[in-house]
Amino acid sequence: ENGNSNNNAIIIKGKVNSSYISAGNSDNGNTDNNLVFISNNSSTRLAAGGIANNGTANNNLVFITDSKANEIYGGFTENSNDDYDAAVNADYNAVIINNSEIGSVAGGYTNSGTANNNFVSISSRNTHGDIYGGQSLNGDANNNIIIISETVAASGRIAGGRSSEGNTNNNTVIISDSIIQGNIYGGRTNEGNANANTIIISNSTMPNVIYGGGSSKGNATDNTVIISNSTYDSNGIKTTNVYGGYTENGNTERNTVQITGGKSSDIYGGYSGLGEAKDNIVIINGGEVSNVYGGDSSNGSSSDNKVYIKDGTIRYIIAGYSINRENSNNVENNTVYISGGKVTGDVNGGVTY
């Protein structure tokens, strides 16, 4: 049985061209509390604070400035035992990138365990791959933070927390003065819940779709998206749809989207394919918006949703909407408040058919 690889450091201030840089590495133990610092126009295919097999990868830090790296992990761990449910966590890791050309990034990654409380910060230059605060295949990815600023172009997907089978709750993505080309998720999961995530975007170019919280089978509740002075690409090739909460099979409740300035396409406080859309809120403080939906369900009830129009230009508004395929779903107690701005098309409190 191999031991742990903890409390190691790699500090690069001279120019280094390498294929692999990892401060802590263990085939059958933990890799915790390691440090990697890369600078001076160095380059590497992979940089990681800690890489573990059948162990934890916690509390690692990777700092890259004025360099290049194709793949970056604060902490990376995989469970390769027959007992796939045995947890190997990647928690409390950090990746900080400044003025560097990079590919994919994950603050913490695990295939079997939690990826919680990780932090990723990126400023200046381009990114060419997916960016995850915390990523777990069958565990939770909660309480992660991504901050992106002054980035020329980020071409991959961005998710504060990403999980296939677990929950993605309480993650935060903050983006300013950047061009974002891949979809943005506060939290994204296939089978779990995506609750209480936050996205804040300012002075940026937005991608096709933004999800505060998105789930295929679970609920998406209490998520928040705040966008100011941002727009889809100036050539009009892409338009931006924004969802406070999005789920294909669960309920979407108490989500909020707030838009101030800029230009966007369709805004949904909450959307559900088969569940309820309830108590969602959209606030438009300014800008150009095509269509606004407080709550939208393709085959469930849509109730108690609210739309507030305070300024800006909006084409079409529905506070509560349901396609109602089962002929048993209600659209009730939805409200539109208009105190300013300009609405050029229809305004509906509730619509079902």
Side-chain angles (χ1 to χ4, degrees):
E1 179 179 346
N2 292 337
N4 301 323
S5 181
N6 301 331
N7 304 301
N8 304 291
I10 296 175
I11 299 174
I12 300 172
K13 294 186 177 181
K15 186 174 182 178
V16 172
N17 295 321
S18 175
S19 62
Y20 187 96
I21 297 173
S22 175
N25 196 308
S26 177
D27 283 337
N28 204 29
N30 301 327
T31 57
D32 301 336
N33 305 304
N34 298 290
L35 166 68
V36 171
F37 178 91
I38 301 172
S39 64
N40 196 32
N41 201 29
S42 295
S43 65
T44 181
R45 179 187 62 80
L46 184 144
I51 296 179
N53 187 35
N54 302 322
T56 61
N58 297 329
N59 296 297
N60 299 289
L61 170 62
V62 175
F63 189 103
I64 300 176
T65 183
D66 304 311
S67 297
K68 296 181 180 180
N70 294 335
E71 193 174 359
I72 304 168
Y73 299 95
F76 177 100
T77 180
E78 288 187 321
N79 174 15
S80 61
N81 290 325
D82 293 336
D83 182 9
Y84 187 68
D85 291 331
V88 287
N89 300 330
D91 300 335
Y92 295 100
N93 300 287
V95 174
I96 301 173
I97 300 165
N98 177 60
N99 193 37
S100 297
E101 194 89 6
I102 61 171
S104 61
V105 179
Y109 171 88
T110 176
N111 70 341
S112 180
T114 60
N116 296 337
N117 300 292
N118 298 289
F119 176 80
V120 173
S121 175
I122 301 172
S123 61
S124 304
R125 300 285 290 276
N126 295 336
T127 66
H128 304 291
D130 296 340
I131 301 169
Y132 298 114
Q135 182 182 14
S136 174
L137 295 190
N138 73 346
D140 293 342
N142 299 332
N143 305 306
N144 301 287
I145 298 173
I146 295 176
I147 299 175
I148 298 174
S149 62
E150 298 179 0
T151 298
V152 177
S155 60
R157 292 165 295 186
I158 298 169
R162 178 70 174 100
S163 177
S164 296
E165 300 178 15
N167 299 316
T168 57
N169 300 332
N170 298 297
N171 299 288
T172 301
V173 177
I174 301 173
I175 298 171
S176 62
D177 303 297
S178 298
I179 299 172
I180 308 300
Q181 298 170 337
N183 293 342
I184 304 170
Y185 305 84
R188 175 72 175 100
T189 176
N190 295 347
E191 299 185 14
N193 298 319
N195 300 334
N197 301 287
T198 301
I199 295 175
I200 301 173
I201 302 173
S202 61
N203 304 311
S204 296
T205 299
M206 299 185 292
N208 285 343
V209 187
I210 296 169
Y211 304 88
S215 176
S216 298
K217 296 182 179 181
N219 298 322
T221 65
D222 300 298
N223 300 288
T224 301
V225 178
I226 300 172
I227 299 173
S228 60
N229 300 318
S230 299
T231 186
Y232 54 81
D233 74 48
S234 58
N235 295 322
I237 298 173
K238 296 187 297 184
T239 60
T240 297
N241 293 341
V242 180
Y243 299 86
Y246 177 98
T247 175
E248 296 173 14
N249 292 282
N251 298 324
T252 176
E253 300 178 1
R254 299 182 304 277
N255 301 287
T256 301
V257 177
Q258 180 173 299
I259 306 292
T260 304
K263 181 182 290 187
S264 52
S265 184
D266 295 344
I267 307 298
Y268 299 81
Y271 171 85
S272 176
L274 298 177
E276 294 186 354
K278 184 178 180 181
D279 291 309
N280 300 288
I281 296 174
V282 176
I283 303 169
I284 308 298
N285 292 319
E288 298 180 32
V289 178
S290 297
N291 305 308
V292 175
Y293 301 86
D296 183 345
S297 177
S298 293
N299 198 26
S301 298
S302 183
S303 60
D304 300 294
N305 302 289
K306 296 178 176 61
V307 173
Y308 297 87
I309 307 299
K310 300 181 180 181
D311 203 349
T313 301
I314 300 90
R315 185 179 69 182
Y316 188 73
I317 301 170
I318 301 179
Y321 178 80
S322 176
I323 295 178
N324 203 6
R325 292 188 176 95
E326 301 297 329
N327 297 317
S328 61
N329 301 314
N330 296 319
V331 176
E332 298 177 328
N333 302 313
N334 301 287
T335 307
V336 178
Y337 300 89
I338 302 175
S339 60
K342 179 181 179 181
V343 180
T344 62
D346 296 343
V347 178
N348 297 276
V351 174
T352 181
Y353 68 88

